[in-house]
Amino acid sequence: MPSFDIVCEIDFCEVRNAVDQANREVGTRYDFKGVDAKFDLKDTEIVMKAEVDFQLQQMIDILKQKLTKREVSLKHLDVQQPEIKHKSAVQVIKLQKGIATDKARRIVKMIKDKRLKVQSAIQGEQVRVTGKKRDDLQTVIAMMREVDMDLPLQYVNFRD
């Protein structure tokens, strides 16, 4: 029986390379001269440190540019509010990986509302879609590409 998985994955190697390039650019830019501004990549978040809020906004622009060049979708970024103290500003950007349960339920509901002869099931952080006909599965993929989700979805593991 043909099936495929709807997932939301992020390439952490590309994210690490983009953060390294952004750190290098911040180190060489004139407007950051003498400023202790840097990016720190932790497990599923990027921590930006600078002296003022304006510099954090510039750093976000630099990071987005580097991620775009490395073909990492900006929908993975969940930018938090900055924490501004006396002479330091810190902002956290969380990296979204996997499909949350509520969004997975929404995907399953959209597929069922289409009334195609397919079954969809939530399996952890992904949604598995199975059906008897390959054309029905391709219709589901086309439908999901038209819908604007807050996540960059990939369609993997297509089996006949």
PDB file of all heavy atoms in Angstrom, residues 41-77:
ATOM      1  N   LEU A  41      25.085  29.039  19.338  1.00  0.00           N
ATOM      2  CA  LEU A  41      24.155  27.995  18.917  1.00  0.00           C
ATOM      3  C   LEU A  41      24.129  26.923  19.990  1.00  0.00           C
ATOM      4  O   LEU A  41      25.150  26.315  20.299  1.00  0.00           O
ATOM      5  CB  LEU A  41      24.582  27.406  17.573  1.00  0.00           C
ATOM      6  CG  LEU A  41      23.724  26.267  17.038  1.00  0.00           C
ATOM      7  CD1 LEU A  41      22.311  26.754  16.745  1.00  0.00           C
ATOM      8  CD2 LEU A  41      24.344  25.681  15.790  1.00  0.00           C
ATOM      9  N   LYS A  42      22.961  26.718  20.571  1.00  0.00           N
ATOM     10  CA  LYS A  42      22.775  25.639  21.534  1.00  0.00           C
ATOM     11  C   LYS A  42      21.927  24.584  20.861  1.00  0.00           C
ATOM     12  O   LYS A  42      21.683  24.652  19.665  1.00  0.00           O
ATOM     13  CB  LYS A  42      22.153  26.194  22.800  1.00  0.00           C
ATOM     14  CG  LYS A  42      23.086  27.213  23.434  1.00  0.00           C
ATOM     15  CD  LYS A  42      22.655  27.640  24.782  1.00  0.00           C
ATOM     16  CE  LYS A  42      23.746  28.582  25.312  1.00  0.00           C
ATOM     17  NZ  LYS A  42      23.297  29.413  26.364  1.00  0.00           N
ATOM     18  N   ASP A  43      21.439  23.611  21.578  1.00  0.00           N
ATOM     19  CA  ASP A  43      20.734  22.476  20.984  1.00  0.00           C
ATOM     20  C   ASP A  43      19.676  22.886  19.964  1.00  0.00           C
ATOM     21  O   ASP A  43      19.793  22.588  18.788  1.00  0.00           O
ATOM     22  CB  ASP A  43      20.077  21.624  22.072  1.00  0.00           C
ATOM     23  CG  ASP A  43      21.103  20.897  22.925  1.00  0.00           C
ATOM     24  OD1 ASP A  43      22.196  20.621  22.394  1.00  0.00           O
ATOM     25  OD2 ASP A  43      20.814  20.624  24.087  1.00  0.00           O
ATOM     26  N   THR A  44      18.635  23.540  20.413  1.00  0.00           N
ATOM     27  CA  THR A  44      17.562  23.921  19.496  1.00  0.00           C
ATOM     28  C   THR A  44      17.276  25.410  19.569  1.00  0.00           C
ATOM     29  O   THR A  44      16.147  25.845  19.348  1.00  0.00           O
ATOM     30  CB  THR A  44      16.261  23.151  19.815  1.00  0.00           C
ATOM     31  OG1 THR A  44      15.892  23.425  21.169  1.00  0.00           O
ATOM     32  CG2 THR A  44      16.437  21.670  19.602  1.00  0.00           C
ATOM     33  N   GLU A  45      18.287  26.187  19.891  1.00  0.00           N
ATOM     34  CA  GLU A  45      18.090  27.631  19.932  1.00  0.00           C
ATOM     35  C   GLU A  45      19.384  28.373  19.633  1.00  0.00           C
ATOM     36  O   GLU A  45      20.472  27.846  19.815  1.00  0.00           O
ATOM     37  CB  GLU A  45      17.501  28.075  21.275  1.00  0.00           C
ATOM     38  CG  GLU A  45      18.380  27.785  22.474  1.00  0.00           C
ATOM     39  CD  GLU A  45      17.695  28.115  23.794  1.00  0.00           C
ATOM     40  OE1 GLU A  45      16.451  28.108  23.843  1.00  0.00           O
ATOM     41  OE2 GLU A  45      18.411  28.377  24.750  1.00  0.00           O
ATOM     42  N   ILE A  46      19.209  29.599  19.160  1.00  0.00           N
ATOM     43  CA  ILE A  46      20.327  30.487  18.883  1.00  0.00           C
ATOM     44  C   ILE A  46      20.191  31.658  19.842  1.00  0.00           C
ATOM     45  O   ILE A  46      19.137  32.295  19.905  1.00  0.00           O
ATOM     46  CB  ILE A  46      20.291  30.984  17.425  1.00  0.00           C
ATOM     47  CG1 ILE A  46      20.363  29.802  16.454  1.00  0.00           C
ATOM     48  CG2 ILE A  46      21.425  31.966  17.166  1.00  0.00           C
ATOM     49  CD1 ILE A  46      20.063  30.171  15.018  1.00  0.00           C
ATOM     50  N   VAL A  47      21.256  31.928  20.598  1.00  0.00           N
ATOM     51  CA  VAL A  47      21.250  33.036  21.554  1.00  0.00           C
ATOM     52  C   VAL A  47      22.111  34.149  20.977  1.00  0.00           C
ATOM     53  O   VAL A  47      23.276  33.937  20.647  1.00  0.00           O
ATOM     54  CB  VAL A  47      21.785  32.585  22.928  1.00  0.00           C
ATOM     55  CG1 VAL A  47      21.779  33.744  23.909  1.00  0.00           C
ATOM     56  CG2 VAL A  47      20.977  31.424  23.468  1.00  0.00           C
ATOM     57  N   MET A  48      21.516  35.347  20.872  1.00  0.00           N
ATOM     58  CA  MET A  48      22.241  36.513  20.361  1.00  0.00           C
ATOM     59  C   MET A  48      22.518  37.447  21.531  1.00  0.00           C
ATOM     60  O   MET A  48      21.630  37.734  22.328  1.00  0.00           O
ATOM     61  CB  MET A  48      21.420  37.242  19.303  1.00  0.00           C
ATOM     62  CG  MET A  48      21.091  36.401  18.113  1.00  0.00           C
ATOM     63  SD  MET A  48      20.248  37.325  16.814  1.00  0.00           S
ATOM     64  CE  MET A  48      18.999  38.184  17.688  1.00  0.00           C
ATOM     65  N   LYS A  49      23.756  37.941  21.589  1.00  0.00           N
ATOM     66  CA  LYS A  49      24.146  38.870  22.647  1.00  0.00           C
ATOM     67  C   LYS A  49      24.746  40.111  22.011  1.00  0.00           C
ATOM     68  O   LYS A  49      25.580  40.009  21.120  1.00  0.00           O
ATOM     69  CB  LYS A  49      25.161  38.221  23.576  1.00  0.00           C
ATOM     70  CG  LYS A  49      24.629  37.011  24.294  1.00  0.00           C
ATOM     71  CD  LYS A  49      25.686  36.351  25.141  1.00  0.00           C
ATOM     72  CE  LYS A  49      25.115  35.088  25.770  1.00  0.00           C
ATOM     73  NZ  LYS A  49      26.110  34.353  26.533  1.00  0.00           N
ATOM     74  N   ALA A  50      24.305  41.273  22.480  1.00  0.00           N
ATOM     75  CA  ALA A  50      24.828  42.551  21.996  1.00  0.00           C
ATOM     76  C   ALA A  50      24.663  43.569  23.127  1.00  0.00           C
ATOM     77  O   ALA A  50      24.281  43.214  24.250  1.00  0.00           O
ATOM     78  CB  ALA A  50      24.092  42.999  20.745  1.00  0.00           C
ATOM     79  N   GLU A  51      24.964  44.836  22.809  1.00  0.00           N
ATOM     80  CA  GLU A  51      24.859  45.867  23.841  1.00  0.00           C
ATOM     81  C   GLU A  51      23.498  46.558  23.845  1.00  0.00           C
ATOM     82  O   GLU A  51      23.013  46.949  24.897  1.00  0.00           O
ATOM     83  CB  GLU A  51      25.977  46.902  23.672  1.00  0.00           C
ATOM     84  CG  GLU A  51      27.340  46.341  24.009  1.00  0.00           C
ATOM     85  CD  GLU A  51      28.447  47.373  23.882  1.00  0.00           C
ATOM     86  OE1 GLU A  51      28.151  48.522  23.480  1.00  0.00           O
ATOM     87  OE2 GLU A  51      29.582  47.019  24.172  1.00  0.00           O
ATOM     88  N   VAL A  52      22.887  46.748  22.670  1.00  0.00           N
ATOM     89  CA  VAL A  52      21.597  47.433  22.596  1.00  0.00           C
ATOM     90  C   VAL A  52      20.648  46.671  21.674  1.00  0.00           C
ATOM     91  O   VAL A  52      21.062  45.820  20.887  1.00  0.00           O
ATOM     92  CB  VAL A  52      21.755  48.899  22.103  1.00  0.00           C
ATOM     93  CG1 VAL A  52      22.459  49.745  23.138  1.00  0.00           C
ATOM     94  CG2 VAL A  52      22.475  48.959  20.785  1.00  0.00           C
ATOM     95  N   ASP A  53      19.382  47.022  21.768  1.00  0.00           N
ATOM     96  CA  ASP A  53      18.332  46.365  20.997  1.00  0.00           C
ATOM     97  C   ASP A  53      18.516  46.554  19.488  1.00  0.00           C
ATOM     98  O   ASP A  53      18.264  45.650  18.695  1.00  0.00           O
ATOM     99  CB  ASP A  53      16.971  46.907  21.449  1.00  0.00           C
ATOM    100  CG  ASP A  53      15.826  46.219  20.753  1.00  0.00           C
ATOM    101  OD1 ASP A  53      15.927  45.007  20.527  1.00  0.00           O
ATOM    102  OD2 ASP A  53      14.832  46.905  20.440  1.00  0.00           O
ATOM    103  N   PHE A  54      18.964  47.726  19.088  1.00  0.00           N
ATOM    104  CA  PHE A  54      19.161  48.012  17.661  1.00  0.00           C
ATOM    105  C   PHE A  54      20.176  47.047  17.042  1.00  0.00           C
ATOM    106  O   PHE A  54      19.998  46.577  15.918  1.00  0.00           O
ATOM    107  CB  PHE A  54      19.618  49.467  17.488  1.00  0.00           C
ATOM    108  CG  PHE A  54      19.908  49.830  16.067  1.00  0.00           C
ATOM    109  CD1 PHE A  54      18.879  49.967  15.146  1.00  0.00           C
ATOM    110  CD2 PHE A  54      21.213  50.019  15.633  1.00  0.00           C
ATOM    111  CE1 PHE A  54      19.143  50.289  13.824  1.00  0.00           C
ATOM    112  CE2 PHE A  54      21.492  50.337  14.320  1.00  0.00           C
ATOM    113  CZ  PHE A  54      20.451  50.471  13.407  1.00  0.00           C
ATOM    114  N   GLN A  55      21.222  46.743  17.774  1.00  0.00           N
ATOM    115  CA  GLN A  55      22.229  45.802  17.267  1.00  0.00           C
ATOM    116  C   GLN A  55      21.642  44.397  17.126  1.00  0.00           C
ATOM    117  O   GLN A  55      22.002  43.668  16.202  1.00  0.00           O
ATOM    118  CB  GLN A  55      23.438  45.788  18.183  1.00  0.00           C
ATOM    119  CG  GLN A  55      24.217  47.083  18.136  1.00  0.00           C
ATOM    120  CD  GLN A  55      25.291  47.164  19.193  1.00  0.00           C
ATOM    121  OE1 GLN A  55      25.261  46.447  20.184  1.00  0.00           O
ATOM    122  NE2 GLN A  55      26.251  48.060  18.975  1.00  0.00           N
ATOM    123  N   LEU A  56      20.734  44.028  18.038  1.00  0.00           N
ATOM    124  CA  LEU A  56      20.088  42.723  17.919  1.00  0.00           C
ATOM    125  C   LEU A  56      19.265  42.633  16.627  1.00  0.00           C
ATOM    126  O   LEU A  56      19.258  41.600  15.960  1.00  0.00           O
ATOM    127  CB  LEU A  56      19.177  42.458  19.122  1.00  0.00           C
ATOM    128  CG  LEU A  56      19.860  42.155  20.445  1.00  0.00           C
ATOM    129  CD1 LEU A  56      18.826  42.010  21.546  1.00  0.00           C
ATOM    130  CD2 LEU A  56      20.716  40.920  20.354  1.00  0.00           C
ATOM    131  N   GLN A  57      18.598  43.728  16.276  1.00  0.00           N
ATOM    132  CA  GLN A  57      17.814  43.730  15.041  1.00  0.00           C
ATOM    133  C   GLN A  57      18.718  43.571  13.817  1.00  0.00           C
ATOM    134  O   GLN A  57      18.378  42.857  12.872  1.00  0.00           O
ATOM    135  CB  GLN A  57      16.987  45.020  14.929  1.00  0.00           C
ATOM    136  CG  GLN A  57      15.889  45.120  15.964  1.00  0.00           C
ATOM    137  CD  GLN A  57      14.919  43.953  15.879  1.00  0.00           C
ATOM    138  OE1 GLN A  57      14.533  43.537  14.805  1.00  0.00           O
ATOM    139  NE2 GLN A  57      14.535  43.426  17.033  1.00  0.00           N
ATOM    140  N   GLN A  58      19.864  44.225  13.847  1.00  0.00           N
ATOM    141  CA  GLN A  58      20.825  44.069  12.744  1.00  0.00           C
ATOM    142  C   GLN A  58      21.350  42.638  12.689  1.00  0.00           C
ATOM    143  O   GLN A  58      21.535  42.075  11.608  1.00  0.00           O
ATOM    144  CB  GLN A  58      21.977  45.046  12.913  1.00  0.00           C
ATOM    145  CG  GLN A  58      21.606  46.476  12.643  1.00  0.00           C
ATOM    146  CD  GLN A  58      22.786  47.408  12.848  1.00  0.00           C
ATOM    147  OE1 GLN A  58      23.624  47.193  13.725  1.00  0.00           O
ATOM    148  NE2 GLN A  58      22.856  48.433  12.011  1.00  0.00           N
ATOM    149  N   MET A  59      21.578  42.045  13.861  1.00  0.00           N
ATOM    150  CA  MET A  59      22.081  40.676  13.903  1.00  0.00           C
ATOM    151  C   MET A  59      21.043  39.685  13.363  1.00  0.00           C
ATOM    152  O   MET A  59      21.395  38.722  12.681  1.00  0.00           O
ATOM    153  CB  MET A  59      22.487  40.308  15.329  1.00  0.00           C
ATOM    154  CG  MET A  59      23.734  41.042  15.812  1.00  0.00           C
ATOM    155  SD  MET A  59      24.085  40.774  17.542  1.00  0.00           S
ATOM    156  CE  MET A  59      24.572  39.055  17.534  1.00  0.00           C
ATOM    157  N   ILE A  60      19.765  39.933  13.650  1.00  0.00           N
ATOM    158  CA  ILE A  60      18.716  39.065  13.111  1.00  0.00           C
ATOM    159  C   ILE A  60      18.708  39.135  11.593  1.00  0.00           C
ATOM    160  O   ILE A  60      18.593  38.114  10.909  1.00  0.00           O
ATOM    161  CB  ILE A  60      17.334  39.457  13.688  1.00  0.00           C
ATOM    162  CG1 ILE A  60      17.238  39.036  15.142  1.00  0.00           C
ATOM    163  CG2 ILE A  60      16.208  38.808  12.891  1.00  0.00           C
ATOM    164  CD1 ILE A  60      15.966  39.482  15.829  1.00  0.00           C
ATOM    165  N   ASP A  61      18.867  40.348  11.056  1.00  0.00           N
ATOM    166  CA  ASP A  61      18.905  40.491   9.593  1.00  0.00           C
ATOM    167  C   ASP A  61      20.085  39.737   8.993  1.00  0.00           C
ATOM    168  O   ASP A  61      19.952  39.080   7.950  1.00  0.00           O
ATOM    169  CB  ASP A  61      18.974  41.969   9.211  1.00  0.00           C
ATOM    170  CG  ASP A  61      17.675  42.705   9.529  1.00  0.00           C
ATOM    171  OD1 ASP A  61      16.634  42.040   9.669  1.00  0.00           O
ATOM    172  OD2 ASP A  61      17.728  43.943   9.644  1.00  0.00           O
ATOM    173  N   ILE A  62      21.237  39.830   9.643  1.00  0.00           N
ATOM    174  CA  ILE A  62      22.431  39.112   9.161  1.00  0.00           C
ATOM    175  C   ILE A  62      22.177  37.611   9.193  1.00  0.00           C
ATOM    176  O   ILE A  62      22.464  36.895   8.223  1.00  0.00           O
ATOM    177  CB  ILE A  62      23.665  39.480  10.011  1.00  0.00           C
ATOM    178  CG1 ILE A  62      24.053  40.941   9.799  1.00  0.00           C
ATOM    179  CG2 ILE A  62      24.840  38.567   9.691  1.00  0.00           C
ATOM    180  CD1 ILE A  62      25.093  41.448  10.786  1.00  0.00           C
ATOM    181  N   LEU A  63      21.625  37.118  10.311  1.00  0.00           N
ATOM    182  CA  LEU A  63      21.365  35.684  10.442  1.00  0.00           C
ATOM    183  C   LEU A  63      20.366  35.198   9.397  1.00  0.00           C
ATOM    184  O   LEU A  63      20.569  34.152   8.780  1.00  0.00           O
ATOM    185  CB  LEU A  63      20.857  35.370  11.853  1.00  0.00           C
ATOM    186  CG  LEU A  63      20.562  33.900  12.140  1.00  0.00           C
ATOM    187  CD1 LEU A  63      21.844  33.084  12.070  1.00  0.00           C
ATOM    188  CD2 LEU A  63      19.892  33.746  13.482  1.00  0.00           C
ATOM    189  N   LYS A  64      19.303  35.953   9.175  1.00  0.00           N
ATOM    190  CA  LYS A  64      18.309  35.557   8.176  1.00  0.00           C
ATOM    191  C   LYS A  64      18.920  35.501   6.784  1.00  0.00           C
ATOM    192  O   LYS A  64      18.620  34.600   5.998  1.00  0.00           O
ATOM    193  CB  LYS A  64      17.118  36.516   8.199  1.00  0.00           C
ATOM    194  CG  LYS A  64      16.211  36.310   9.386  1.00  0.00           C
ATOM    195  CD  LYS A  64      15.039  37.254   9.344  1.00  0.00           C
ATOM    196  CE  LYS A  64      14.105  37.013  10.517  1.00  0.00           C
ATOM    197  NZ  LYS A  64      12.955  37.930  10.504  1.00  0.00           N
ATOM    198  N   GLN A  65      19.797  36.452   6.486  1.00  0.00           N
ATOM    199  CA  GLN A  65      20.458  36.456   5.183  1.00  0.00           C
ATOM    200  C   GLN A  65      21.328  35.208   5.017  1.00  0.00           C
ATOM    201  O   GLN A  65      21.305  34.559   3.972  1.00  0.00           O
ATOM    202  CB  GLN A  65      21.306  37.719   5.051  1.00  0.00           C
ATOM    203  CG  GLN A  65      22.100  37.800   3.786  1.00  0.00           C
ATOM    204  CD  GLN A  65      23.074  38.966   3.791  1.00  0.00           C
ATOM    205  OE1 GLN A  65      23.277  39.612   4.809  1.00  0.00           O
ATOM    206  NE2 GLN A  65      23.672  39.220   2.654  1.00  0.00           N
ATOM    207  N   LYS A  66      22.089  34.864   6.048  1.00  0.00           N
ATOM    208  CA  LYS A  66      22.968  33.688   5.965  1.00  0.00           C
ATOM    209  C   LYS A  66      22.160  32.393   5.881  1.00  0.00           C
ATOM    210  O   LYS A  66      22.533  31.472   5.149  1.00  0.00           O
ATOM    211  CB  LYS A  66      23.907  33.635   7.179  1.00  0.00           C
ATOM    212  CG  LYS A  66      24.826  34.833   7.304  1.00  0.00           C
ATOM    213  CD  LYS A  66      25.684  35.030   6.088  1.00  0.00           C
ATOM    214  CE  LYS A  66      26.575  36.241   6.247  1.00  0.00           C
ATOM    215  NZ  LYS A  66      27.298  36.570   5.032  1.00  0.00           N
ATOM    216  N   LEU A  67      21.058  32.313   6.624  1.00  0.00           N
ATOM    217  CA  LEU A  67      20.222  31.111   6.560  1.00  0.00           C
ATOM    218  C   LEU A  67      19.569  30.964   5.190  1.00  0.00           C
ATOM    219  O   LEU A  67      19.463  29.855   4.658  1.00  0.00           O
ATOM    220  CB  LEU A  67      19.150  31.154   7.652  1.00  0.00           C
ATOM    221  CG  LEU A  67      19.634  30.915   9.078  1.00  0.00           C
ATOM    222  CD1 LEU A  67      18.531  31.215  10.075  1.00  0.00           C
ATOM    223  CD2 LEU A  67      20.142  29.505   9.259  1.00  0.00           C
ATOM    224  N   THR A  68      19.146  32.074   4.607  1.00  0.00           N
ATOM    225  CA  THR A  68      18.533  32.033   3.284  1.00  0.00           C
ATOM    226  C   THR A  68      19.533  31.573   2.234  1.00  0.00           C
ATOM    227  O   THR A  68      19.200  30.780   1.347  1.00  0.00           O
ATOM    228  CB  THR A  68      17.963  33.411   2.917  1.00  0.00           C
ATOM    229  OG1 THR A  68      17.049  33.814   3.934  1.00  0.00           O
ATOM    230  CG2 THR A  68      17.241  33.370   1.594  1.00  0.00           C
ATOM    231  N   LYS A  69      20.761  32.039   2.327  1.00  0.00           N
ATOM    232  CA  LYS A  69      21.796  31.600   1.374  1.00  0.00           C
ATOM    233  C   LYS A  69      22.059  30.110   1.485  1.00  0.00           C
ATOM    234  O   LYS A  69      22.396  29.457   0.508  1.00  0.00           O
ATOM    235  CB  LYS A  69      23.095  32.360   1.618  1.00  0.00           C
ATOM    236  CG  LYS A  69      23.128  33.721   0.994  1.00  0.00           C
ATOM    237  CD  LYS A  69      24.508  34.331   1.137  1.00  0.00           C
ATOM    238  CE  LYS A  69      24.555  35.699   0.518  1.00  0.00           C
ATOM    239  NZ  LYS A  69      25.874  36.321   0.687  1.00  0.00           N
ATOM    240  N   ARG A  70      21.899  29.569   2.687  1.00  0.00           N
ATOM    241  CA  ARG A  70      22.141  28.146   2.910  1.00  0.00           C
ATOM    242  C   ARG A  70      20.869  27.311   2.742  1.00  0.00           C
ATOM    243  O   ARG A  70      20.835  26.141   3.103  1.00  0.00           O
ATOM    244  CB  ARG A  70      22.725  27.920   4.294  1.00  0.00           C
ATOM    245  CG  ARG A  70      24.074  28.562   4.439  1.00  0.00           C
ATOM    246  CD  ARG A  70      24.941  27.707   5.312  1.00  0.00           C
ATOM    247  NE  ARG A  70      26.334  27.971   5.026  1.00  0.00           N
ATOM    248  CZ  ARG A  70      27.126  27.136   4.390  1.00  0.00           C
ATOM    249  NH1 ARG A  70      26.678  25.998   3.946  1.00  0.00           N
ATOM    250  NH2 ARG A  70      28.378  27.429   4.195  1.00  0.00           N
ATOM    251  N   GLU A  71      19.815  27.942   2.216  1.00  0.00           N
ATOM    252  CA  GLU A  71      18.550  27.284   1.906  1.00  0.00           C
ATOM    253  C   GLU A  71      17.888  26.644   3.127  1.00  0.00           C
ATOM    254  O   GLU A  71      17.310  25.560   3.054  1.00  0.00           O
ATOM    255  CB  GLU A  71      18.729  26.260   0.787  1.00  0.00           C
ATOM    256  CG  GLU A  71      19.165  26.890  -0.516  1.00  0.00           C
ATOM    257  CD  GLU A  71      19.382  25.893  -1.626  1.00  0.00           C
ATOM    258  OE1 GLU A  71      19.170  24.685  -1.406  1.00  0.00           O
ATOM    259  OE2 GLU A  71      19.754  26.326  -2.718  1.00  0.00           O
ATOM    260  N   VAL A  72      17.965  27.332   4.265  1.00  0.00           N
ATOM    261  CA  VAL A  72      17.237  26.934   5.463  1.00  0.00           C
ATOM    262  C   VAL A  72      16.031  27.856   5.555  1.00  0.00           C
ATOM    263  O   VAL A  72      16.172  29.080   5.511  1.00  0.00           O
ATOM    264  CB  VAL A  72      18.114  27.068   6.731  1.00  0.00           C
ATOM    265  CG1 VAL A  72      17.307  26.761   7.982  1.00  0.00           C
ATOM    266  CG2 VAL A  72      19.332  26.162   6.635  1.00  0.00           C
ATOM    267  N   SER A  73      14.847  27.293   5.667  1.00  0.00           N
ATOM    268  CA  SER A  73      13.627  28.089   5.683  1.00  0.00           C
ATOM    269  C   SER A  73      13.561  28.952   6.942  1.00  0.00           C
ATOM    270  O   SER A  73      13.886  28.511   8.044  1.00  0.00           O
ATOM    271  CB  SER A  73      12.407  27.173   5.635  1.00  0.00           C
ATOM    272  OG  SER A  73      11.233  27.937   5.746  1.00  0.00           O
ATOM    273  N   LEU A  74      13.110  30.193   6.771  1.00  0.00           N
ATOM    274  CA  LEU A  74      12.988  31.106   7.903  1.00  0.00           C
ATOM    275  C   LEU A  74      11.766  30.780   8.751  1.00  0.00           C
ATOM    276  O   LEU A  74      11.611  31.342   9.838  1.00  0.00           O
ATOM    277  CB  LEU A  74      12.926  32.555   7.410  1.00  0.00           C
ATOM    278  CG  LEU A  74      14.167  33.045   6.659  1.00  0.00           C
ATOM    279  CD1 LEU A  74      13.983  34.488   6.228  1.00  0.00           C
ATOM    280  CD2 LEU A  74      15.421  32.881   7.484  1.00  0.00           C
ATOM    281  N   LYS A  75      10.913  29.879   8.290  1.00  0.00           N
ATOM    282  CA  LYS A  75       9.763  29.459   9.090  1.00  0.00           C
ATOM    283  C   LYS A  75      10.188  28.620  10.286  1.00  0.00           C
ATOM    284  O   LYS A  75       9.402  28.412  11.201  1.00  0.00           O
ATOM    285  CB  LYS A  75       8.781  28.661   8.229  1.00  0.00           C
ATOM    286  CG  LYS A  75       8.059  29.506   7.209  1.00  0.00           C
ATOM    287  CD  LYS A  75       7.074  28.665   6.438  1.00  0.00           C
ATOM    288  CE  LYS A  75       6.338  29.477   5.416  1.00  0.00           C
ATOM    289  NZ  LYS A  75       5.369  28.647   4.664  1.00  0.00           N
ATOM    290  N   HIS A  76      11.419  28.121  10.274  1.00  0.00           N
ATOM    291  CA  HIS A  76      11.936  27.366  11.419  1.00  0.00           C
ATOM    292  C   HIS A  76      12.230  28.281  12.602  1.00  0.00           C
ATOM    293  O   HIS A  76      12.355  27.813  13.720  1.00  0.00           O
ATOM    294  CB  HIS A  76      13.235  26.637  11.049  1.00  0.00           C
ATOM    295  CG  HIS A  76      13.032  25.431  10.195  1.00  0.00           C
ATOM    296  ND1 HIS A  76      12.416  24.286  10.628  1.00  0.00           N
ATOM    297  CD2 HIS A  76      13.377  25.190   8.909  1.00  0.00           C
ATOM    298  CE1 HIS A  76      12.388  23.396   9.668  1.00  0.00           C
ATOM    299  NE2 HIS A  76      12.969  23.923   8.606  1.00  0.00           N
ATOM    300  N   LEU A  77      12.370  29.583  12.367  1.00  0.00           N
ATOM    301  CA  LEU A  77      12.775  30.508  13.424  1.00  0.00           C
ATOM    302  C   LEU A  77      11.572  30.981  14.229  1.00  0.00           C
ATOM    303  O   LEU A  77      10.573  31.427  13.676  1.00  0.00           O
ATOM    304  CB  LEU A  77      13.493  31.720  12.827  1.00  0.00           C
ATOM    305  CG  LEU A  77      14.722  31.452  11.968  1.00  0.00           C
ATOM    306  CD1 LEU A  77      15.296  32.760  11.474  1.00  0.00           C
ATOM    307  CD2 LEU A  77      15.757  30.669  12.731  1.00  0.00           C
TER     308      LEU A  77
END
